[in-house]
């Protein structure tokens, strides 16, 4: 079975994303990764606020591993990818990259999110009717 193309979200680097030298500050990459996962959900028709209000559930980052390969700079055009690597009963493992417009990989990330009951702050099973992958 062929692997699906990852979801892609474009990002432009602004001053607010950089340090005084115009190099992207390391914590900014976390925001880029988060935004791409949020837009991936939105592209699947899942608004996070509506999901939380209707179910009392939210996806929270449980674990993250990042490999910083190259720096991004002010005004760079980037592409952030999202691919589901594993789905468990109460969590999803994503593979993500941040790539420069020229195709160079700047950051590789592995991100596990847990489905959490926001009232009890406990992990719970992902609802069975929640479709988190596009149709083939």
């Amino acid at each position: 079975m062929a692997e699906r193309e990852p979801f892609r979200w474009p990002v432009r680097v602004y001053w607010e994303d950089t340090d005084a030298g115009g190099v992207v500050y390391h914590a900014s990459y976390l925001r880029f990764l988060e935004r791409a996962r949020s837009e991936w959900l939105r592209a699947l028709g899942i608004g996070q606020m509506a999901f939380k209000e209707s179910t009392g559930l939210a996806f929270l980052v449980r674990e993250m591993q990042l490999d910083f390969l190259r720096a991004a700079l002010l005004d760079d055009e980037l592409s952030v990818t999202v691919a589901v690597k594993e789905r468990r009963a109460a969590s999803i493992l994503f593979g993500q990259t941040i790539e420069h417009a020229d195709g160079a990989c700047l950051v590789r990330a592995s991100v596990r999110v847990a489905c959490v009951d926001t009232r009890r702050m406990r992990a719970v099973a992902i609802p069975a009717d929640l479709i988190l992958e596009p149709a083939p």
Side-chain angles (χ1 to χ4, degrees), residues 34-72:
E34 174 71 26
R35 290 175 193 161
R37 290 191 309 277
S38 294
E39 294 302 331
W40 169 80
L41 276 173
R42 191 181 322 278
L44 293 174
I46 303 165
Q48 291 187 74
M49 187 55 75
F51 176 69
K52 181 177 180 253
E53 289 173 352
S54 67
T55 64
L57 306 177
F59 291 102
L60 305 180
V61 172
R62 164 70 177 84
E63 179 181 4
M64 181 180 281
Q65 180 179 5
L66 290 101
D67 191 5
F68 297 97
L69 304 171
R70 291 181 50 193

mmCIF file of all heavy atoms in Angstrom, residues 34-72:
data_model
loop_
_atom_site.group_PDB
_atom_site.id
_atom_site.type_symbol
_atom_site.label_atom_id
_atom_site.label_comp_id
_atom_site.label_asym_id
_atom_site.label_seq_id
_atom_site.Cartn_x
_atom_site.Cartn_y
_atom_site.Cartn_z
ATOM 1 N N GLU A 34 2.417 23.301 15.328
ATOM 2 C CA GLU A 34 1.065 23.320 15.904
ATOM 3 C C GLU A 34 0.047 23.855 14.908
ATOM 4 O O GLU A 34 -1.044 23.296 14.743
ATOM 5 C CB GLU A 34 1.053 24.163 17.178
ATOM 6 C CG GLU A 34 -0.331 24.364 17.776
ATOM 7 C CD GLU A 34 -0.896 23.106 18.408
ATOM 8 O OE1 GLU A 34 -0.124 22.243 18.829
ATOM 9 O OE2 GLU A 34 -2.137 23.003 18.464
ATOM 10 N N ARG A 35 0.389 24.945 14.247
ATOM 11 C CA ARG A 35 -0.538 25.527 13.266
ATOM 12 C C ARG A 35 -0.835 24.543 12.143
ATOM 13 O O ARG A 35 -1.980 24.437 11.697
ATOM 14 C CB ARG A 35 0.035 26.824 12.710
ATOM 15 C CG ARG A 35 0.047 27.925 13.729
ATOM 16 C CD ARG A 35 0.718 29.165 13.213
ATOM 17 N NE ARG A 35 0.962 30.074 14.324
ATOM 18 C CZ ARG A 35 1.827 31.061 14.290
ATOM 19 N NH1 ARG A 35 2.530 31.292 13.195
ATOM 20 N NH2 ARG A 35 1.993 31.846 15.327
ATOM 21 N N ALA A 36 0.178 23.830 11.690
ATOM 22 C CA ALA A 36 -0.039 22.865 10.606
ATOM 23 C C ALA A 36 -0.966 21.735 11.062
ATOM 24 O O ALA A 36 -1.852 21.320 10.307
ATOM 25 C CB ALA A 36 1.291 22.309 10.114
ATOM 26 N N ARG A 37 -0.788 21.239 12.299
ATOM 27 C CA ARG A 37 -1.699 20.194 12.794
ATOM 28 C C ARG A 37 -3.121 20.732 12.923
ATOM 29 O O ARG A 37 -4.092 20.034 12.599
ATOM 30 C CB ARG A 37 -1.213 19.630 14.138
ATOM 31 C CG ARG A 37 0.038 18.794 14.035
ATOM 32 C CD ARG A 37 0.350 18.026 15.307
ATOM 33 N NE ARG A 37 0.357 18.845 16.509
ATOM 34 C CZ ARG A 37 1.396 19.583 16.929
ATOM 35 N NH1 ARG A 37 2.525 19.602 16.247
ATOM 36 N NH2 ARG A 37 1.302 20.273 18.052
ATOM 37 N N SER A 38 -3.262 21.968 13.365
ATOM 38 C CA SER A 38 -4.594 22.584 13.478
ATOM 39 C C SER A 38 -5.244 22.720 12.111
ATOM 40 O O SER A 38 -6.439 22.446 11.946
ATOM 41 C CB SER A 38 -4.492 23.955 14.151
ATOM 42 O OG SER A 38 -4.074 23.815 15.486
ATOM 43 N N GLU A 39 -4.476 23.144 11.119
ATOM 44 C CA GLU A 39 -5.021 23.306 9.766
ATOM 45 C C GLU A 39 -5.311 21.953 9.122
ATOM 46 O O GLU A 39 -6.244 21.830 8.331
ATOM 47 C CB GLU A 39 -4.075 24.137 8.906
ATOM 48 C CG GLU A 39 -3.946 25.578 9.369
ATOM 49 C CD GLU A 39 -5.279 26.331 9.410
ATOM 50 O OE1 GLU A 39 -6.198 26.015 8.618
ATOM 51 O OE2 GLU A 39 -5.402 27.253 10.243
ATOM 52 N N TRP A 40 -4.535 20.931 9.472
ATOM 53 C CA TRP A 40 -4.813 19.574 8.999
ATOM 54 C C TRP A 40 -6.184 19.129 9.504
ATOM 55 O O TRP A 40 -7.001 18.605 8.742
ATOM 56 C CB TRP A 40 -3.695 18.647 9.484
ATOM 57 C CG TRP A 40 -3.960 17.190 9.305
ATOM 58 C CD1 TRP A 40 -3.821 16.463 8.152
ATOM 59 C CD2 TRP A 40 -4.394 16.272 10.311
ATOM 60 N NE1 TRP A 40 -4.150 15.147 8.390
ATOM 61 C CE2 TRP A 40 -4.502 15.000 9.712
ATOM 62 C CE3 TRP A 40 -4.695 16.394 11.663
ATOM 63 C CZ2 TRP A 40 -4.897 13.874 10.408
ATOM 64 C CZ3 TRP A 40 -5.090 15.270 12.368
ATOM 65 C CH2 TRP A 40 -5.191 14.028 11.736
ATOM 66 N N LEU A 41 -6.453 19.347 10.803
ATOM 67 C CA LEU A 41 -7.764 19.008 11.355
ATOM 68 C C LEU A 41 -8.871 19.794 10.657
ATOM 69 O O LEU A 41 -9.910 19.238 10.296
ATOM 70 C CB LEU A 41 -7.810 19.297 12.854
ATOM 71 C CG LEU A 41 -7.265 18.235 13.784
ATOM 72 C CD1 LEU A 41 -7.214 18.750 15.218
ATOM 73 C CD2 LEU A 41 -8.072 16.953 13.714
ATOM 74 N N ARG A 42 -8.635 21.079 10.457
ATOM 75 C CA ARG A 42 -9.631 21.932 9.800
ATOM 76 C C ARG A 42 -9.922 21.429 8.379
ATOM 77 O O ARG A 42 -11.065 21.401 7.935
ATOM 78 C CB ARG A 42 -9.139 23.382 9.771
ATOM 79 C CG ARG A 42 -10.189 24.384 9.351
ATOM 80 C CD ARG A 42 -9.666 25.825 9.300
ATOM 81 N NE ARG A 42 -8.732 26.198 10.343
ATOM 82 C CZ ARG A 42 -9.069 26.573 11.572
ATOM 83 N NH1 ARG A 42 -10.331 26.577 11.944
ATOM 84 N NH2 ARG A 42 -8.141 26.932 12.437
ATOM 85 N N ALA A 43 -8.876 20.998 7.672
ATOM 86 C CA ALA A 43 -9.050 20.474 6.309
ATOM 87 C C ALA A 43 -9.876 19.186 6.305
ATOM 88 O O ALA A 43 -10.511 18.862 5.297
ATOM 89 C CB ALA A 43 -7.682 20.230 5.661
ATOM 90 N N LEU A 44 -9.889 18.479 7.428
ATOM 91 C CA LEU A 44 -10.707 17.270 7.567
ATOM 92 C C LEU A 44 -12.117 17.597 8.054
ATOM 93 O O LEU A 44 -12.914 16.703 8.315
ATOM 94 C CB LEU A 44 -10.042 16.283 8.532
ATOM 95 C CG LEU A 44 -8.731 15.669 8.050
ATOM 96 C CD1 LEU A 44 -8.091 14.834 9.150
ATOM 97 C CD2 LEU A 44 -8.945 14.837 6.796
ATOM 98 N N GLY A 45 -12.398 18.893 8.234
ATOM 99 C CA GLY A 45 -13.720 19.315 8.670
ATOM 100 C C GLY A 45 -13.898 19.325 10.178
ATOM 101 O O GLY A 45 -15.033 19.338 10.664
ATOM 102 N N ILE A 46 -12.792 19.321 10.919
ATOM 103 C CA ILE A 46 -12.854 19.292 12.376
ATOM 104 C C ILE A 46 -12.345 20.619 12.937
ATOM 105 O O ILE A 46 -11.142 20.880 12.911
ATOM 106 C CB ILE A 46 -12.018 18.127 12.948
ATOM 107 C CG1 ILE A 46 -12.493 16.801 12.353
ATOM 108 C CG2 ILE A 46 -12.066 18.112 14.472
ATOM 109 C CD1 ILE A 46 -11.541 15.649 12.565
ATOM 110 N N GLY A 47 -13.256 21.434 13.405
ATOM 111 C CA GLY A 47 -12.873 22.665 14.089
ATOM 112 C C GLY A 47 -12.599 22.329 15.547
ATOM 113 O O GLY A 47 -13.422 21.698 16.211
ATOM 114 N N GLN A 48 -11.453 22.735 16.050
ATOM 115 C CA GLN A 48 -11.072 22.329 17.399
ATOM 116 C C GLN A 48 -12.011 22.857 18.473
ATOM 117 O O GLN A 48 -12.336 22.149 19.429
ATOM 118 C CB GLN A 48 -9.633 22.748 17.692
ATOM 119 C CG GLN A 48 -8.647 21.943 16.867
ATOM 120 C CD GLN A 48 -7.228 22.215 17.256
ATOM 121 O OE1 GLN A 48 -6.784 21.765 18.300
ATOM 122 N NE2 GLN A 48 -6.532 22.955 16.422
ATOM 123 N N MET A 49 -12.460 24.085 18.352
ATOM 124 C CA MET A 49 -13.362 24.644 19.372
ATOM 125 C C MET A 49 -14.718 23.932 19.335
ATOM 126 O O MET A 49 -15.251 23.564 20.380
ATOM 127 C CB MET A 49 -13.542 26.150 19.188
ATOM 128 C CG MET A 49 -14.323 26.785 20.328
ATOM 129 S SD MET A 49 -13.646 26.476 21.984
ATOM 130 C CE MET A 49 -12.256 27.559 21.982
ATOM 131 N N ALA A 50 -15.249 23.704 18.147
ATOM 132 C CA ALA A 50 -16.528 22.994 18.028
ATOM 133 C C ALA A 50 -16.393 21.563 18.560
ATOM 134 O O ALA A 50 -17.294 21.062 19.241
ATOM 135 C CB ALA A 50 -16.991 22.977 16.570
ATOM 136 N N PHE A 51 -15.261 20.909 18.274
ATOM 137 C CA PHE A 51 -15.007 19.554 18.768
ATOM 138 C C PHE A 51 -14.984 19.554 20.294
ATOM 139 O O PHE A 51 -15.632 18.725 20.940
ATOM 140 C CB PHE A 51 -13.680 19.035 18.202
ATOM 141 C CG PHE A 51 -13.275 17.686 18.706
ATOM 142 C CD1 PHE A 51 -13.971 16.539 18.351
ATOM 143 C CD2 PHE A 51 -12.166 17.552 19.531
ATOM 144 C CE1 PHE A 51 -13.590 15.293 18.811
ATOM 145 C CE2 PHE A 51 -11.771 16.305 19.999
ATOM 146 C CZ PHE A 51 -12.478 15.172 19.633
ATOM 147 N N LYS A 52 -14.285 20.514 20.881
ATOM 148 C CA LYS A 52 -14.193 20.596 22.348
ATOM 149 C C LYS A 52 -15.566 20.880 22.958
ATOM 150 O O LYS A 52 -15.953 20.264 23.953
ATOM 151 C CB LYS A 52 -13.207 21.681 22.755
ATOM 152 C CG LYS A 52 -13.043 21.812 24.255
ATOM 153 C CD LYS A 52 -11.998 22.869 24.589
ATOM 154 C CE LYS A 52 -11.833 22.985 26.075
ATOM 155 N NZ LYS A 52 -12.402 24.175 26.629
ATOM 156 N N GLU A 53 -16.308 21.810 22.368
ATOM 157 C CA GLU A 53 -17.622 22.166 22.920
ATOM 158 C C GLU A 53 -18.616 21.016 22.803
ATOM 159 O O GLU A 53 -19.443 20.820 23.692
ATOM 160 C CB GLU A 53 -18.157 23.415 22.227
ATOM 161 C CG GLU A 53 -17.399 24.670 22.633
ATOM 162 C CD GLU A 53 -17.797 25.895 21.833
ATOM 163 O OE1 GLU A 53 -18.568 25.780 20.847
ATOM 164 O OE2 GLU A 53 -17.305 26.981 22.179
ATOM 165 N N SER A 54 -18.546 20.236 21.724
ATOM 166 C CA SER A 54 -19.524 19.161 21.538
ATOM 167 C C SER A 54 -19.154 17.869 22.271
ATOM 168 O O SER A 54 -20.033 17.079 22.593
ATOM 169 C CB SER A 54 -19.724 18.876 20.045
ATOM 170 O OG SER A 54 -18.549 18.331 19.478
ATOM 171 N N THR A 55 -17.857 17.665 22.537
ATOM 172 C CA THR A 55 -17.434 16.393 23.144
ATOM 173 C C THR A 55 -16.769 16.542 24.509
ATOM 174 O O THR A 55 -16.659 15.558 25.241
ATOM 175 C CB THR A 55 -16.422 15.673 22.230
ATOM 176 O OG1 THR A 55 -15.236 16.476 22.127
ATOM 177 C CG2 THR A 55 -17.002 15.394 20.850
ATOM 178 N N GLY A 56 -16.280 17.747 24.814
ATOM 179 C CA GLY A 56 -15.500 17.930 26.040
ATOM 180 C C GLY A 56 -14.088 17.392 25.906
ATOM 181 O O GLY A 56 -13.367 17.245 26.892
ATOM 182 N N LEU A 57 -13.670 17.113 24.675
ATOM 183 C CA LEU A 57 -12.357 16.535 24.411
ATOM 184 C C LEU A 57 -11.468 17.512 23.660
ATOM 185 O O LEU A 57 -11.943 18.403 22.970
ATOM 186 C CB LEU A 57 -12.495 15.253 23.583
ATOM 187 C CG LEU A 57 -13.414 14.165 24.125
ATOM 188 C CD1 LEU A 57 -13.483 13.009 23.144
ATOM 189 C CD2 LEU A 57 -12.951 13.701 25.495
ATOM 190 N N ALA A 58 -10.161 17.297 23.788
ATOM 191 C CA ALA A 58 -9.177 18.078 23.037
ATOM 192 C C ALA A 58 -7.944 17.208 22.821
ATOM 193 O O ALA A 58 -7.718 16.236 23.564
ATOM 194 C CB ALA A 58 -8.801 19.350 23.789
ATOM 195 N N PHE A 59 -7.161 17.560 21.822
ATOM 196 C CA PHE A 59 -5.895 16.872 21.574
ATOM 197 C C PHE A 59 -4.775 17.711 22.173
ATOM 198 O O PHE A 59 -4.606 18.876 21.819
ATOM 199 C CB PHE A 59 -5.668 16.675 20.079
ATOM 200 C CG PHE A 59 -6.617 15.681 19.473
ATOM 201 C CD1 PHE A 59 -7.710 16.106 18.742
ATOM 202 C CD2 PHE A 59 -6.417 14.320 19.649
ATOM 203 C CE1 PHE A 59 -8.589 15.194 18.195
ATOM 204 C CE2 PHE A 59 -7.296 13.398 19.108
ATOM 205 C CZ PHE A 59 -8.386 13.831 18.377
ATOM 206 N N LEU A 60 -4.008 17.112 23.095
ATOM 207 C CA LEU A 60 -2.908 17.797 23.762
ATOM 208 C C LEU A 60 -1.601 17.080 23.452
ATOM 209 O O LEU A 60 -1.570 15.839 23.409
ATOM 210 C CB LEU A 60 -3.118 17.831 25.274
ATOM 211 C CG LEU A 60 -4.440 18.433 25.773
ATOM 212 C CD1 LEU A 60 -4.483 18.394 27.290
ATOM 213 C CD2 LEU A 60 -4.630 19.844 25.254
ATOM 214 N N VAL A 61 -0.542 17.853 23.254
ATOM 215 C CA VAL A 61 0.755 17.248 22.977
ATOM 216 C C VAL A 61 1.214 16.465 24.199
ATOM 217 O O VAL A 61 1.245 16.985 25.317
ATOM 218 C CB VAL A 61 1.802 18.310 22.586
ATOM 219 C CG1 VAL A 61 3.191 17.688 22.483
ATOM 220 C CG2 VAL A 61 1.420 18.972 21.268
ATOM 221 N N ARG A 62 1.559 15.222 23.975
ATOM 222 C CA ARG A 62 2.025 14.321 25.035
ATOM 223 C C ARG A 62 3.538 14.152 24.985
ATOM 224 O O ARG A 62 4.208 14.053 25.994
ATOM 225 C CB ARG A 62 1.316 12.966 24.864
ATOM 226 C CG ARG A 62 1.886 11.787 25.596
ATOM 227 C CD ARG A 62 1.675 11.914 27.096
ATOM 228 N NE ARG A 62 2.153 10.753 27.797
ATOM 229 C CZ ARG A 62 3.417 10.553 28.170
ATOM 230 N NH1 ARG A 62 4.337 11.422 27.884
ATOM 231 N NH2 ARG A 62 3.749 9.464 28.827
ATOM 232 N N GLU A 63 4.054 14.104 23.764
ATOM 233 C CA GLU A 63 5.478 13.836 23.578
ATOM 234 C C GLU A 63 5.910 14.463 22.251
ATOM 235 O O GLU A 63 5.155 14.460 21.283
ATOM 236 C CB GLU A 63 5.677 12.323 23.540
ATOM 237 C CG GLU A 63 7.064 11.846 23.327
ATOM 238 C CD GLU A 63 7.132 10.321 23.280
ATOM 239 O OE1 GLU A 63 6.078 9.655 23.350
ATOM 240 O OE2 GLU A 63 8.247 9.818 23.166
ATOM 241 N N MET A 64 7.149 14.970 22.231
ATOM 242 C CA MET A 64 7.645 15.606 21.016
ATOM 243 C C MET A 64 9.150 15.405 20.926
ATOM 244 O O MET A 64 9.863 15.540 21.925
ATOM 245 C CB MET A 64 7.307 17.101 21.051
ATOM 246 C CG MET A 64 7.744 17.874 19.850
ATOM 247 S SD MET A 64 7.301 19.627 19.988
ATOM 248 C CE MET A 64 5.578 19.572 19.544
ATOM 249 N N GLN A 65 9.610 15.069 19.731
ATOM 250 C CA GLN A 65 11.038 14.966 19.482
ATOM 251 C C GLN A 65 11.328 15.772 18.228
ATOM 252 O O GLN A 65 10.644 15.603 17.209
ATOM 253 C CB GLN A 65 11.455 13.516 19.294
ATOM 254 C CG GLN A 65 12.930 13.363 19.044
ATOM 255 C CD GLN A 65 13.337 11.903 18.880
ATOM 256 O OE1 GLN A 65 12.503 11.006 18.855
ATOM 257 N NE2 GLN A 65 14.630 11.686 18.754
ATOM 258 N N LEU A 66 12.313 16.662 18.317
ATOM 259 C CA LEU A 66 12.660 17.508 17.180
ATOM 260 C C LEU A 66 14.122 17.358 16.821
ATOM 261 O O LEU A 66 14.971 17.219 17.699
ATOM 262 C CB LEU A 66 12.392 18.982 17.507
ATOM 263 C CG LEU A 66 10.933 19.347 17.605
ATOM 264 C CD1 LEU A 66 10.530 19.424 19.048
ATOM 265 C CD2 LEU A 66 10.686 20.651 16.911
ATOM 266 N N ASP A 67 14.381 17.412 15.529
ATOM 267 C CA ASP A 67 15.740 17.390 15.019
ATOM 268 C C ASP A 67 15.899 18.642 14.164
ATOM 269 O O ASP A 67 15.288 18.758 13.096
ATOM 270 C CB ASP A 67 15.957 16.121 14.184
ATOM 271 C CG ASP A 67 17.405 15.874 13.832
ATOM 272 O OD1 ASP A 67 18.283 16.630 14.301
ATOM 273 O OD2 ASP A 67 17.664 14.927 13.071
ATOM 274 N N PHE A 68 16.684 19.604 14.674
ATOM 275 C CA PHE A 68 16.916 20.862 13.964
ATOM 276 C C PHE A 68 18.086 20.653 13.004
ATOM 277 O O PHE A 68 19.215 20.445 13.439
ATOM 278 C CB PHE A 68 17.238 21.989 14.948
ATOM 279 C CG PHE A 68 16.112 22.304 15.887
ATOM 280 C CD1 PHE A 68 16.074 21.760 17.164
ATOM 281 C CD2 PHE A 68 15.072 23.144 15.492
ATOM 282 C CE1 PHE A 68 15.031 22.060 18.033
ATOM 283 C CE2 PHE A 68 14.032 23.446 16.353
ATOM 284 C CZ PHE A 68 14.010 22.897 17.622
ATOM 285 N N LEU A 69 17.814 20.704 11.712
ATOM 286 C CA LEU A 69 18.828 20.398 10.706
ATOM 287 C C LEU A 69 19.472 21.644 10.113
ATOM 288 O O LEU A 69 20.681 21.670 9.893
ATOM 289 C CB LEU A 69 18.197 19.559 9.589
ATOM 290 C CG LEU A 69 17.512 18.271 10.061
ATOM 291 C CD1 LEU A 69 16.731 17.642 8.928
ATOM 292 C CD2 LEU A 69 18.544 17.318 10.621
ATOM 293 N N ARG A 70 18.659 22.652 9.827
ATOM 294 C CA ARG A 70 19.144 23.914 9.252
ATOM 295 C C ARG A 70 18.257 25.031 9.756
ATOM 296 O O ARG A 70 17.111 24.806 10.119
ATOM 297 C CB ARG A 70 19.075 23.879 7.721
ATOM 298 C CG ARG A 70 20.065 22.930 7.094
ATOM 299 C CD ARG A 70 20.001 22.910 5.577
ATOM 300 N NE ARG A 70 20.050 24.247 5.008
ATOM 301 C CZ ARG A 70 19.761 24.513 3.746
ATOM 302 N NH1 ARG A 70 19.386 23.549 2.926
ATOM 303 N NH2 ARG A 70 19.824 25.734 3.282
ATOM 304 N N ALA A 71 18.765 26.242 9.721
ATOM 305 C CA ALA A 71 18.009 27.400 10.208
ATOM 306 C C ALA A 71 17.171 28.027 9.098
ATOM 307 O O ALA A 71 17.564 28.030 7.932
ATOM 308 C CB ALA A 71 18.965 28.451 10.772
ATOM 309 N N ALA A 72 16.026 28.563 9.492
ATOM 310 C CA ALA A 72 15.211 29.399 8.611
ATOM 311 C C ALA A 72 15.496 30.850 8.969
ATOM 312 O O ALA A 72 15.867 31.164 10.106
ATOM 313 C CB ALA A 72 13.732 29.079 8.789
#
